[in-house]
Amino acid sequence: MPKSKRSQIVSLTKVAKKTREHKNLLLAEVQQNAEKWKYCWLFQVGAMRNAHLKTVRKLWKDSARIFFGRGAVMAKALGTTVEEEHRMGLHQLAQQIKGQVGLFFTDSEPQEVTEWFNDFQQADYARTGNKATRTVILPAGPVMRVHSDPPEPFPHNEDPQLRKLGLTTSMKRGVPTLENAHRVCDKGKVLTGEQAQLLKLLGEKMVVFKVGLLARWDAASGEVVQVEGGCTDVEPEGDEIENEDEMSEM
């Protein structure tokens, strides 16, 4: 007889055990990498998107190791006091692990790392709570998708969605059309959920995924150097790591 696909009761003791084991494994992995690499960078992410962080991981997979999320576990692994630090000087880095930050272990020299991350920026769509970086006004006429090259009008089957998001459209020759200009958003103002969805449909990207380097630990000297200008604009609610195991693999 085949097994039932109905939800099964899972013992909370098993869940707790798995969580503890995962934390201990992550703690050990962070410490192992602290022993392996010459440098450890503390970084922050602006406009966090899992897809872009995966790209960073892929591009550095042969010359670095990235950990992102579980800040309390990472801080514990490094040691937050002189007495607890895993290696000399790491407590200075651990004490700065707050909020949405990560660790980047590598042997690459500081100049190469800073130049690479300064150049790596990926435009993306804004989310609810982001501030509009520019004013967007749709002119009267067919509603156009700006992300296509050349821009093309929306198909007729998307007219209900456009109306749901606040556009007053009518169908002309099978194309959603505005009788009057429509102001989507104003520069500097916080975006609502509807505005963010509409901007995405239109193809208007307003945020930039960027890794900001905050501090660097040098294994040879134990010195921690602060990086000027490394802070980025963090979203009100950052993207979540898709699953716990993925966090330690990054």
Side-chain angles (χ1 to χ4, degrees):
M1 183 175 181
K3 292 183 179 180
S4 172
K5 293 184 179 180
R6 292 181 180 178
S7 299
Q8 298 180 359
I9 297 176
V10 178
S11 172
L12 292 178
T13 56
K14 292 183 179 180
V15 175
K17 182 178 179 181
K18 180 180 178 181
T19 302
R20 286 196 300 270
E21 289 178 350
H22 179 76
K23 288 182 178 179
N24 290 336
L25 178 61
L26 173 59
L27 189 145
E29 288 181 349
V30 171
Q31 292 179 338
Q32 289 169 7
N33 280 275
E35 296 168 3
K36 176 181 179 181
W37 305 95
K38 291 169 59 177
Y39 303 103
C40 178
W41 297 77
L42 180 68
F43 68 88
Q44 184 182 54
V45 177
M48 171 60 192
R49 301 292 185 271
N50 278 321
H52 297 320
L53 191 58
K54 286 180 179 179
T55 298
V56 175
R57 179 187 64 176
K58 181 178 180 180
L59 295 174
W60 283 89
K61 67 178 181 178
D62 296 325
S63 56
R65 183 69 186 275
I66 299 174
F67 294 87
F68 188 81
R70 296 270 183 172
V73 180
M74 293 191 296
K76 184 177 180 180
L78 299 182
T80 56
T81 66
V82 175
E83 294 75 21
E84 296 175 344
E85 63 184 9
H86 187 67
R87 294 189 66 183
M88 182 177 66
L90 276 176
H91 78 279
Q92 300 176 66
L93 204 64
Q95 290 174 354
Q96 299 181 56
I97 298 179
K98 298 176 182 179
Q100 197 172 36
V101 297
L103 299 175
F104 178 82
F105 292 94
T106 186
D107 286 339
S108 299
E109 292 304 313
Q111 182 176 350
E112 178 187 351
V113 174
T114 54
E115 289 179 352
W116 193 91
F117 280 108
N118 284 339
D119 290 338
F120 187 84
Q121 300 183 32
Q122 300 291 315
D124 214 307
Y125 298 107
R127 293 176 173 173
T128 305
N130 287 139
K131 288 184 178 180
T133 57
R134 59 185 177 275
T135 297
V136 175
I137 300 175
L138 299 180
V143 183
M144 307 295 286
R145 287 173 164 168
V146 299
H147 57 71
S148 57
D149 188 20
E152 58 184 21
F154 277 83
H156 67 89
N157 60 344
E158 292 198 33
D159 185 61
Q161 179 67 7
L162 295 175
R163 285 175 166 271
K164 183 179 179 181
L165 295 176
L167 297 188
T168 306
T169 58
S170 60
M171 297 297 292
K172 291 188 177 181
R173 296 183 179 180
V175 175
T177 303
L178 289 170
E179 294 295 335
N180 301 297
H182 178 87
R183 183 180 293 269
V184 178
C185 62
D186 292 302
K187 181 179 180 180
K189 291 189 176 182
V190 175
L191 296 171
T192 65
E194 287 185 351
Q195 289 173 317
Q197 289 182 53
L198 182 54
L199 288 169
K200 185 173 182 178
L201 280 178
L202 295 170
E204 294 279 2
K205 296 182 178 181
M206 285 199 175
V207 298
V208 177
F209 171 91
K210 179 177 174 59
V211 174
L213 301 172
L214 303 176
R216 181 186 73 251
W217 170 76
D218 188 322
S221 64
E223 182 182 11
V224 171
V225 177
Q226 300 303 124
V227 180
E228 294 184 5
C231 293
T232 60
D233 294 328
V234 179
E235 292 180 326
E237 294 183 3
D239 201 5
E240 295 292 335
I241 298 298
E242 292 176 359
N243 59 63
E244 292 182 353
D245 294 330
E246 183 179 340
M247 193 284 297
S248 62
E249 293 174 359
M250 286 188 170

